């Protein structure tokens, strides 16, 4: 039996116009990584060139993670993939993805997404230089 491909890196497509997404990007980038995370602005020319088969409008609505194996993770799968990549959070990601905890994890991620939608009005955060962090 063939073993599945080993993931060597993830590319995280995030909405750089969203303050919550920028904060998550900074937080993830500042953690020790077992699987390297590269960050690319969702919907950007770079994202479109690197991943021409993706629905780039959808990547602006939901966090999207692409593994170097070609696997694509969206929404709660993408958040769990990001946690799984981090040295101090892999165990948490594995626990949260268990059948017992996944429903609660999905509710938490959905709540965060709802807050993001409420704070992401037209032009919101576009002028922020992140100096307040």
């Amino acid at each position: 039996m063939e073993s599945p491909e080993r993931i060597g890196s993830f590319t995280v497509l995030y909405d750089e116009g969203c303050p919550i997404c920028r904060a998550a990007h900074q937080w993830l980038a500042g953690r020790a990584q077992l699987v390297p995370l590269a960050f690319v602005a969702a919907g950007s020319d770079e994202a479109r060139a690197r991943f021409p088969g993706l629905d780039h409008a959808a990547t602006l609505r939901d966090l999207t993670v692409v593994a170097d194996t070609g696997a694509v993770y969206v929404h709660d799968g993408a958040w769990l993939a990001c946690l799984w990549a981090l040295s101090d959070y892999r165990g948490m990601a594995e626990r949260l993805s268990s059948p017992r905890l996944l429903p609660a994890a999905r509710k938490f991620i959905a709540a965060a997404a709802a807050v993001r939608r409420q704070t992401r009005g037209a032009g919101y955060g576009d002028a922020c230089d992140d100096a307040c962090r």
Side-chain angles (χ1 to χ4, degrees):
M1 173 179 253
E2 256 182 68
S3 63
E5 285 187 73
R6 186 177 184 94
I7 295 172
S9 65
F10 283 131
T11 300
V12 181
L13 301 175
Y14 73 102
D15 181 356
E16 69 179 351
C18 165
I20 293 170
C21 299
R22 287 194 311 264
H25 168 205
Q26 290 175 351
W27 184 83
L28 289 165
R31 301 293 172 275
Q33 301 170 4
L34 296 172
V35 175
L37 297 172
F39 299 90
V40 174
S44 67
D45 289 341
E46 180 182 357
R48 291 174 191 284
R50 289 180 66 181
F51 308 109
L54 288 180
D55 176 350
H56 290 280
T59 67
L60 285 165
R61 289 189 301 273
D62 283 319
L63 181 69
T64 304
V65 174
V66 182
D68 61 347
T69 61
V72 178
Y73 304 89
V74 296
H75 196 54
D76 53 345
W79 285 104
L80 291 171
C82 287
L83 286 177
W84 183 82
L86 302 179
S87 177
D88 293 338
Y89 293 89
R90 179 165 284 181
M92 177 187 290
E94 290 171 348
R95 286 188 301 280
L96 289 173
S97 65
S98 72
R100 187 170 68 84
L101 293 178
L102 187 56
R106 285 186 170 143
K107 286 179 184 176
F108 177 80
I109 292 165
V115 169
R116 177 186 178 270
R117 281 190 296 277
Q118 289 177 349
T119 62
R120 185 68 175 116
Y124 184 83
D126 294 340
C128 176
D129 63 2
D130 290 328
C132 58
R133 292 189 179 95

